[in-house]
Amino acid sequence: MMEANYRIWIQELKQRIRSAQLKAAVAVNEQMIMLYWDIGKQIVEKQQEESWGSKVVEQMAKDLKNELPETNGFSRTNLFAMRQFHLFYKDSILLQQADIDLQNKENQSDIIVHQAGGLIGEDNLLCKMPWRHHVAILNHCKDTTQAFFYIKQTIQHNWSRSILELQMESDLDKRQGKALNNFELTLPKIQSDLAKETLKDPYKFDFLTLEADVQELQLEKILTENISRFLLELGKGFAFVGRQYPLQIGNKERKLDLLFYHLKMHCYVVIDLKMTEFEPEFAGKMNYYLSAVDQLLKTELDHPSIGIILCKSKDKIEVEFALQDLNKPMGISEFTFSELPLDIQKNMPTVEEIENELKDNLDD
C-alpha cells in the first residue's frame, strides 16, 4: 500500500516540478526579451544623442565580454540584432501606448500601464517567444503585420525555430485563409471562420521532387510516405485516417483519395487530388463524397464534413460558379511541387522500359 501511495506522490511531485520549471523558463525568457529590448533602445538613443556610429556596438561587444566573460548573448551580431529589434517594433508599440493612454483618459480609470520595457508588442506577445525565433523573424519579415502573424502562429502551434523558418520560406502569411470556398453559405459562422483560416492557397509540396506528369495515385502514395511533412503543410489539427479510404455506397465501393479528421474543427476532411486544371464536375463529385461521409462516418459529436479539392491550376470565376449552389462545405486550392529538371526527366526510364528490362533479366 505504501509503495502505491509513494509512486502516486512521486508522480504528483514530478508534475509540480516540471510545471515550476516551465514557469521559470517562461519568466526568464520574458526578462531576457525585455532586457534585449531595453539594450536595443539604449543603443539607438545613445547613437542619436552622442552621434556615435556603428563602431560603438563593436566596442560594446568587446567591453561586455571583458566585464562578463562567462555571460553569452552579447556578441556584436546579437547587439546589432537588439538594435534592429527595437527599431523594427517601436512604432507599433508607441501606437499601442497612445491608444491605451487615450482609453485611460476617456474612461478616467486606474488602468496600470506597463512602461516601455514591459509593453512589448501586441498583448506582450514578443515576450512569449524565444530570442532566436525573433532573430529569424527580423531576418525575414518586411513589416510588423507580417511579423506578428508569425509570432502568433509560433506561439499557437509551438513551432521550433526550424519549423518557423520553413513556414516563412513557404510564405505562409500570403497563403493561409486564401482558398476559394463556400463555407459562409454551408457552415455556422464560428465553424466557417475556423475552416477558412485552416485552408491555404496554394499548398506547397516542395519537399517532393517529381516528374511533371506524375499521376494522382503516385502523388497520394508519395505524400503519405512523407506524412510528417504533409501534415505540417496541412496545418495543426489534421489527423491522418487513410488513403484510398473505402466507402460502401449501395452496391458500389467508392474510394476517397485522402481522408483526415480535424481535431479542432471536430470533423472529417476529405481531400481530392487532381493533376489537372479545376473542372466543375470535381465539385459535384466532392459534394457526393461528403454526403456519403456524413451518412456513413459522421457521428452526433462531429460537425459537418469538409472537402478540399487540390488542383494544379484553377480559374477563379469557374470555381465560384461551381460552388454557388452546392450544400456541402468545400474549398478549392492549387498545389505546387518541385519538378525534376528536364534533362533528368528525359534520361529516366519509362515504366515500360523498366518492365522490359526486368523481363529480359528473368529470361536470362
Side-chain angles (χ1 to χ4, degrees):
M1 186 66 179
M2 177 182 172
E3 178 70 17
N5 290 336
Y6 176 79
R7 290 297 170 194
I8 293 170
W9 178 53
I10 289 296
Q11 288 301 313
E12 290 173 350
L13 284 177
K14 183 178 76 172
Q15 293 302 320
R16 289 184 63 189
I17 291 167
R18 285 181 174 173
S19 176
Q21 288 173 334
L22 180 60
K23 288 177 182 177
V26 169
V28 168
N29 182 73
E30 181 174 338
Q31 291 299 314
M32 188 180 74
I33 297 300
M34 289 170 63
L35 173 64
Y36 284 2
W37 170 267
D38 191 52
I39 290 173
K41 180 173 179 287
Q42 289 192 48
I43 291 172
V44 171
E45 289 174 349
K46 293 293 184 184
Q47 286 181 320
Q48 291 172 347
E49 293 168 3
E50 308 290 343
S51 299
W52 292 340
S54 61
K55 286 187 177 179
V56 70
V57 178
E58 297 178 17
Q59 188 61 46
M60 280 179 67
K62 292 176 183 176
D63 291 341
L64 288 173
K65 184 174 179 59
N66 290 333
E67 296 291 333
L68 303 166
E70 297 179 359
T71 303
N72 297 320
F74 299 100
S75 65
R76 174 186 178 278
T77 301
N78 221 27
L79 288 170
F80 272 114
M82 294 174 206
R83 179 181 183 276
Q84 184 188 2
F85 183 54
H86 173 74
L87 288 172
F88 188 74
Y89 290 106
K90 70 181 180 69
D91 288 341
S92 69
I93 291 165
L94 286 172
L95 285 173
Q96 287 182 65
Q97 181 72 66
D99 287 343
I100 293 174
D101 289 343
L102 181 61
Q103 290 172 20
N104 291 346
K105 289 177 183 178
E106 290 176 349
N107 299 332
Q108 296 297 310
S109 60
D110 296 325
I111 300 174
I112 297 174
V113 179
H114 289 279
Q115 296 302 312
L119 184 68
I120 304 182
E122 297 180 357
D123 300 322
N124 248 11
L125 285 178
L126 298 189
C127 287
K128 298 176 183 177
M129 199 171 73
W131 174 245
R132 290 301 169 194
H133 286 61
H134 281 301
V135 173
I137 285 176
L138 289 171
N139 289 335
H140 177 87
C141 295
K142 295 179 175 60
D143 55 55
T144 54
T145 300
Q146 187 182 30
F148 278 121
F149 170 86
Y150 285 111
I151 290 170
K152 289 173 183 175
Q153 292 290 315
T154 298
I155 294 168
Q156 181 182 350
H157 302 303
N158 196 28
W159 286 341
S160 66
R161 181 159 55 97
S162 60
I163 297 299
L164 167 62
E165 289 171 341
L166 192 67
Q167 297 288 16
M168 290 192 295
E169 287 168 9
S170 75
D171 294 324
L172 178 65
D173 59 303
K174 298 180 179 66
R175 301 185 293 122
Q176 187 156 301
K178 306 301 182 184
L180 295 171
N181 62 80
N182 64 351
F183 296 149
E184 289 184 2
L185 301 175
T186 55
L187 292 171
K189 179 167 175 46
I190 295 177
Q191 191 79 354
S192 169
D193 291 345
L194 182 56
K196 279 191 287 188
E197 284 305 307
T198 299
L199 269 61
K200 305 169 186 173
D201 189 25
Y203 284 83
K204 291 190 175 182
F205 303 144
D206 293 347
F207 53 92
L208 306 179
T209 303
L210 307 169
E211 294 181 63
D213 60 350
V214 63
Q215 298 302 302
E216 289 158 13
L217 283 173
Q218 291 174 285
L219 181 58
E220 286 172 30
K221 182 174 182 291
I222 296 168
L223 283 172
T224 51
E225 287 172 351
N226 292 269
I227 193 65
S228 295
R229 293 294 301 272
F230 186 23
L231 288 171
L232 178 62
E233 176 59 12
L234 288 177
K236 188 175 181 179
F238 281 87
F240 181 55
V241 178
R243 167 179 169 259
Q244 289 295 299
Y245 191 90
L247 291 177
Q248 192 66 38
I249 304 172
N251 295 323
K252 293 184 178 179
E253 184 181 74
R254 303 289 185 182
K255 292 185 177 180
L256 308 176
D257 285 356
L258 298 163
L259 182 64
F260 293 83
Y261 190 86
H262 199 281
L263 302 175
K264 192 171 182 181
M265 292 192 290
H266 299 289
C267 68
Y268 286 98
V269 180
V270 179
I271 295 182
D272 207 8
L273 289 171
K274 299 296 181 186
M275 295 301 301
T276 60
E277 183 179 10
F278 174 80
E279 295 290 346
E281 54 264 31
F282 298 165
K285 187 177 180 183
M286 176 60 79
N287 203 68
Y288 169 79
Y289 283 152
L290 292 174
S291 294
V293 171
D294 282 345
Q295 183 69 32
L296 300 174
L297 302 179
K298 177 178 170 292
T299 70
E300 293 179 357
L301 300 176
D302 300 322
H303 288 126
S305 303
I306 290 172
I308 306 175
I309 302 173
L310 299 181
C311 305
K312 287 199 75 174
S313 62
K314 66 182 185 303
D315 180 281
K316 183 175 182 291
I317 304 299
E318 193 168 48
V319 169
E320 289 174 348
F321 268 96
L323 291 175
Q324 206 165 60
D325 295 317
L326 295 177
N327 62 359
K328 294 295 181 183
M330 69 183 76
I332 288 86
S333 298
E334 296 178 2
F335 67 89
T336 63
F337 57 83
S338 299
E339 291 188 12
L340 284 170
L342 285 175
D343 56 336
I344 295 179
Q345 290 188 40
K346 289 176 183 176
N347 292 323
M348 288 187 69
T350 64
V351 173
E352 185 179 357
E353 288 171 340
I354 292 173
E355 288 176 347
N356 289 336
E357 180 71 23
L358 288 171
K359 185 173 181 295
D360 291 341
N361 289 337
L362 288 172
D363 290 342
D364 292 343

